[in-house]
Amino acid sequence: MLKIGVKYCGNCNPQINGPKLVKKVKKLLPDSLFLSAEVPDIDVLLIVSGCPVDCATRPKFIGPLVVIAGKTVDRMPCEAAKIAEVVAEKLQKHDSKA
Amino acid sequence: MLTGQEYIESLKKLKPVVYYEGKKIESVVGHPLIQPHINSAAATYDIAFDPAFEDLGTAVSHLTGEKINRFTYIHQTPEDLVKKVKMLRMIGQRTGSCFQRCVGFDALNAVYSTTYDMDQKLGTSYHSRFVEYLKDVEKRDTMITGAMTDPKGDRGLKPSQQADPDMYVHFVSKNEEGIVVRGAKAHMTGMANSHEMLIMPTTALKEEDADYAVCCVIPVDAPGVLHIFGRQTNDGRKYNEIDQGNFKFGVVGGETLTILEDVFVPWDKVFMCGEYEFAGTLVERFASFHRQNYGACKIGLTDIIIGACALIAEYNGTAKANHIKDKIVEMIHLSETMYCCSLACSGEGRKLPSGACYVDPLLANVVKQNITRYIYEICRISHDIAGGIMATLPSEVDLKHPELGKYVQKYMMGVASVPVENRFKILRLIENMTGGTALVESMHGAGSPQAQRVMLARQANLEHKKELAKKLVDISD
Ligand SMILES: Cc1cc2nc3c(=O)[nH]c(=O)nc-3n(C[C@H](O)[C@H](O)[C@H](O)COP(=O)(O)OP(=O)(O)OC[C@H]3O[C@@H](n4cnc5c(N)ncnc54)[C@H](O)[C@@H]3O)c2cc1C
Ligand code: SF4
């Protein structure tokens, strides 16, 4: 089971609804475990920043990273309606058992 | 760290003496006048546990390495100052009113660096004492009132020249155990629902006013402390919901006039006692930190006002009019301008000798000066967009009245598909967020406009500007 650590930015002036987006991603990856980014042993870190400033503090973690920052995924612009899909796909790539 | 609910439970254990309209309030928790302010302060606790907000709502203590609520944190870097600004905006968006805790937060930061400087120059030991207190604050997640403003009596006279010596808080005696203070603090935001107050002098002082150089911590329910809860515009509406506008979180911070009638303070809670030459530094640092906030929390509030204006335009059927769209853009522009200043004074933050980080005082004063104007302008535009009905709307009781209700429903309808009650709610929200007590806070909270102008004149190097002009046109003298 893929263990995904989620870290939000703090959402002072977000351009997207981060928590709602993560709910959508969860639905797309029903077999994955979404955990706090502080939990040890996560497989991949999902950063959810509300806007392109992307000021979410990075937890101590060495490993793969997927970054949502406003309407971008890993710095590439992404249509709002497609973010969840794109992110789910990227996260799934890190599931060694998939 | 405490959760919001644990904070509320902790208040139940305190017994502050609070009066309103001559009557003693037996319990601040659950009282209709004070509960909205408690809910608002509780938001500062809850955000520390919400994954969506904790990145702003928490920090790592430089003293213990523990994760703590950011409201008890001493800023170490300009990034910390920026996070503070973002946090205040984010909470403001949730409460739509003052959440009170920033005053004590700023007081902690100002006292931390000032006691350090004081000890360096005077050989006192206030800083280490303060650090011990701070560790305890971090652990207990204390809510502290930042108690600076004195009643001040005749503004043209110094503290010791006043007809009544108690117009400014002063110490009246000291012994081996501690000191005794007397006087009062006015406009005390969140005092009725705080755990403790951090007393600071209100102005720079000279030697003859040394007795007024007092900084100390007092529990809100210490013997000799009495609070008189202030009246607010529309507070008679506290027993209705819709008419209050923001019934969950209230308006501004729920201020008190707090009287200190010979209150004993043990030495371990005293951080200045007679060191008059540092009163000015403490005031300036507290004021600059506090002025930084206004382009943050108030922007959370203007985010709501702008949203409410866009909604009322939809409800009234004016949303497509070009001048309405333009007025909303103007509000956004003013709002983000104020935010820019708060970010700027934070980004230009610098380390003080104590290692703590301090905002740029010139830019922090610009923040607050803008607030005294732009918030008024935003509110003016909101009144324009909302329409006169905002001021003459029938009451919630009439809206729900068995006989009158049908008339109110019929004639208070805007766009037919919008429930009349929704129109009422948004109009009342705008009314209560943009007038009376809420508006005055933007003028005087963190200091009247002239206080900032004095700082601007002092901080901006006018001689340098003159030199620039002369150099450009070859004037040499
Ligand atoms: C809603 C609200 C919440 C507040 N919360 C807090 C709080 O939590 N903690 C806290 O410590 N304070 C708090 N304050 C107090 C705030 O800092 C003061 O209101 C502010 O410093 C102005 O002081 P004042 O109200 O006594 O006005 P005044 O000093 O009476 O000012 C009125 C006018 O007189 C002018 N003036 C005053 N003195 C002089 C002088 N010597 N020479 C020339 N002109 C002068 C001023 O510039 C201003 O134009 C709060 C205020 C408000 C309105
Ligand atoms: S990433 Fe954007 S929305 Fe999130 S805290 Fe930073 S500035 Fe605010």
Side-chain angles (χ1 to χ4, degrees):
Chain A
M1 184 181 287
L2 182 68
K3 286 194 230 152
I4 303 162
V6 184
K7 174 73 183 163
Y8 294 96
C9 62
N11 289 292
C12 73
N13 198 22
Q15 295 171 1
I16 54 163
N17 185 330
K20 214 166 158 183
L21 197 67
V22 171
K23 264 192 195 157
K24 269 186 167 176
V25 180
K26 273 185 189 171
K27 269 199 185 150
L28 294 171
L29 301 175
D31 297 329
S32 301
L33 211 52
F34 288 77
L35 303 161
S36 154
E38 282 167 28
V39 170
D41 299 335
I42 52 171
D43 301 312
V44 53
L45 181 62
L46 174 62
I47 298 287
V48 189
S49 280
C51 80
V53 175
D54 185 19
C55 61
T57 309
R58 301 315 198 237
K60 278 188 199 118
F61 170 72
I62 302 165
L65 194 71
V66 177
V67 181
I68 306 173
K71 290 174 203 154
T72 69
V73 180
D74 290 339
R75 308 270 154 230
M76 293 301 286
C78 186
E79 221 180 285
K82 295 217 172 110
I83 298 176
E85 227 174 280
V86 173
V87 169
E89 210 172 291
K90 283 185 175 256
L91 288 170
Q92 223 163 10
K93 280 192 191 143
H94 300 293
D95 190 352
S96 49
K97 287 145 228 145
Chain B
M1 293 189 294
L2 299 181
T3 62
Q5 193 51 43
E6 285 166 344
Y7 153 68
I8 293 172
E9 292 305 318
S10 73
L11 291 180
K12 290 183 187 162
K13 293 185 194 128
L14 304 178
K15 297 272 171 269
V17 180
V18 187
Y19 281 87
Y20 175 72
E21 283 194 314
K23 291 194 196 77
K24 194 170 168 204
I25 292 176
E26 289 309 326
S27 167
V28 295
V29 177
H31 192 283
L33 275 173
I34 302 175
Q35 188 61 45
H37 305 299
I38 295 178
N39 296 341
S40 201
T44 69
Y45 288 90
D46 280 332
I47 50 141
F49 293 90
D50 188 324
F53 308 125
E54 60 83 34
D55 196 49
L56 297 177
T58 61
V60 175
S61 165
H62 74 294
L63 297 173
T64 64
E66 297 284 323
K67 187 172 175 178
I68 56 171
N69 188 299
R70 189 175 292 278
F71 282 93
T72 64
Y73 179 59
I74 302 299
H75 319 290
Q76 301 296 306
T77 62
E79 290 72 36
D80 286 337
L81 293 168
V82 168
K83 290 240 181 215
K84 175 199 187 194
V85 167
K86 292 182 176 182
M87 172 183 74
L88 299 182
R89 181 174 187 168
M90 176 269 287
I91 305 173
Q93 289 170 348
R94 257 130 216 103
T95 61
S97 83
C98 169
F99 33 89
Q100 311 135 46
R101 225 176 149 195
C102 67
V103 206
F105 184 14
D106 296 331
L108 288 176
N109 274 275
V111 176
Y112 181 88
S113 61
T114 307
T115 50
Y116 184 91
D117 296 358
M118 216 152 81
D119 289 359
Q120 295 296 305
K121 178 150 185 229
L122 304 176
T124 45
S125 54
Y126 290 119
H127 187 68
S128 50
R129 193 183 282 175
F130 186 73
V131 166
E132 285 313 304
Y133 170 66
L134 186 62
K135 281 187 198 157
D136 192 44
V137 166
E138 289 181 357
K139 203 160 124 205
R140 288 186 296 134
D141 210 354
T142 321
M143 165 131 167
I144 300 164
T145 299
M148 178 163 277
T149 312
D150 293 289
K152 297 187 287 194
D154 182 338
R155 272 73 175 145
L157 298 177
K158 301 267 175 236
S160 57
Q161 297 169 333
Q162 298 285 333
D164 183 332
D166 301 338
M167 284 300 112
Y168 289 75
V169 169
H170 57 119
F171 63 89
V172 288
S173 64
K174 49 181 166 177
N175 62 25
E176 276 173 14
E177 255 115 70
I179 65 172
V180 173
V181 296
R182 188 187 300 161
K185 291 287 181 186
H187 325 274
M188 290 295 98
T189 293
M191 177 71 91
N193 50 294
S194 287
H195 301 114
E196 290 163 0
M197 66 190 92
L198 181 42
I199 301 279
M200 297 165 285
T202 212
T203 182
L205 298 168
K206 296 256 164 65
E207 193 172 357
E208 58 272 27
D209 291 319
D211 293 356
Y212 295 86
V214 188
C215 174
C216 60
V217 165
I218 301 175
V220 294
D221 58 352
V225 178
L226 183 149
H227 312 278
I228 303 173
F229 198 77
R231 281 225 78 164
Q232 289 187 345
T233 324
N234 293 339
D235 59 3
R237 298 182 186 180
K238 291 284 176 188
Y239 299 87
N240 306 85
E241 273 200 4
I242 296 177
D243 289 350
Q244 278 189 61
N246 185 357
F247 64 90
K248 282 190 205 140
F249 300 108
V251 171
V252 300
E255 280 68 25
T256 62
L257 172 63
T258 291
I259 290 111
L260 307 170
E261 193 74 18
D262 292 346
V263 179
F264 173 74
V265 190
W267 279 115
D268 65 338
K269 297 286 159 31
V270 178
F271 310 116
M272 178 187 284
C273 184
E275 292 80 6
Y276 62 89
E277 65 266 54
F278 280 89
T281 307
L282 181 52
V283 172
E284 190 177 308
R285 288 190 188 161
F286 169 78
S288 296
F289 278 129
H290 206 42
R291 289 169 193 167
Q292 171 205 23
N293 302 353
Y294 273 68
C297 66
K298 292 287 169 286
I299 309 314
L301 270 56
T302 56
D303 284 331
I304 295 174
I305 294 171
I306 295 167
C309 286
L311 282 171
I312 202 63
E314 284 171 24
Y315 295 177
N316 288 349
T318 57
K320 293 200 179 103
N322 280 338
H323 79 100
I324 297 283
K325 284 191 214 160
D326 189 52
K327 280 168 183 159
I328 287 179
V329 170
E330 178 65 9
M331 291 166 103
I332 294 169
H333 168 70
L334 291 168
S335 182
E336 300 297 343
T337 301
M338 293 182 279
Y339 190 52
C340 287
C341 294
S342 276
L343 290 176
C345 75
S346 309
E348 296 285 274
R350 65 195 70 150
K351 282 238 184 231
L352 291 168
S354 63
C357 199
Y358 180 46
V359 289
D360 180 275
L362 173 67
L363 300 183
N365 278 277
V366 172
V367 174
K368 179 67 217 313
Q369 183 76 187
N370 283 343
I371 298 289
T372 66
R373 296 174 178 172
Y374 296 173
I375 293 287
Y376 278 70
E377 180 60 11
I378 286 174
C379 294
R380 187 186 75 79
I381 299 173
S382 78
H383 297 175
D384 178 358
I385 294 174
I389 198 64
M390 183 190 94
T392 62
L393 198 65
S395 73
E396 180 180 348
V397 174
D398 294 326
L399 174 72
K400 294 173 180 168
H401 192 272
E403 280 124 50
L404 302 174
K406 62 177 184 282
Y407 296 117
V408 178
Q409 288 279 351
K410 179 176 164 78
Y411 292 109
M412 289 296 103
M413 187 173 78
V415 167
S417 58
V418 175
V420 174
E421 186 168 317
N422 291 3
R423 189 165 179 245
F424 261 64
K425 283 182 173 166
I426 291 294
L427 285 168
R428 287 295 187 214
L429 183 64
I430 298 173
E431 181 200 12
N432 282 284
M433 285 186 76
T434 60
T437 313
L439 196 50
V440 177
E441 196 215 343
S442 293
M443 181 62 73
H444 290 290
S448 313
Q450 187 57 21
Q452 292 113 49
R453 300 182 83 81
V454 168
M455 286 291 284
L456 297 187
R458 208 184 288 157
Q459 302 276 333
N461 184 351
L462 197 57
E463 287 311 311
H464 170 64
K465 296 183 199 309
K466 285 200 255 176
E467 284 306 317
L468 293 175
K470 286 201 282 189
K471 197 170 172 203
L472 207 60
V473 292
D474 291 338
I475 296 176
S476 55
D477 43 28

